[in-house]
Amino acid sequence: MRLRVEFTTEPFDLDEAPGHAVVAREVVQAAGLDAVDVGPFGNTAEGDADVVLSAVDALLRRSLEAGATRVSLQVNVIGEPGTTGEGAA
């Protein structure tokens, strides 16, 4: 199964990326996911379920340890292993 995770960490700082946001982005960028898109107001990553779920576990633990007071995330099933794109089967 392929998953897409979308997440943000808080508190926000529009002037400079807070440490918890940097840590969360580092986690997903290093996780070996197929697609990662980071931005100032949200981040997405896609990959096989085991990889995404391991990355989510690490991003929650590490961003909270780095000072996040809230982590919002959504996980969607987007296909089967070896497929790309939403709704692919």
Side-chain angles (χ1 to χ4, degrees), residues 60-73:
L60 288 171
R61 292 174 188 278
R62 293 196 47 212
S63 61
L64 292 169
E65 289 170 357
T69 57
R70 178 179 180 156
V71 179
S72 301
L73 65 91

Side-chain angles (χ1 to χ4, degrees), residues 15-27:
D15 295 326
E16 184 177 326
H20 57 80
V22 172
V23 165
R25 291 175 187 164
E26 288 172 350
V27 167

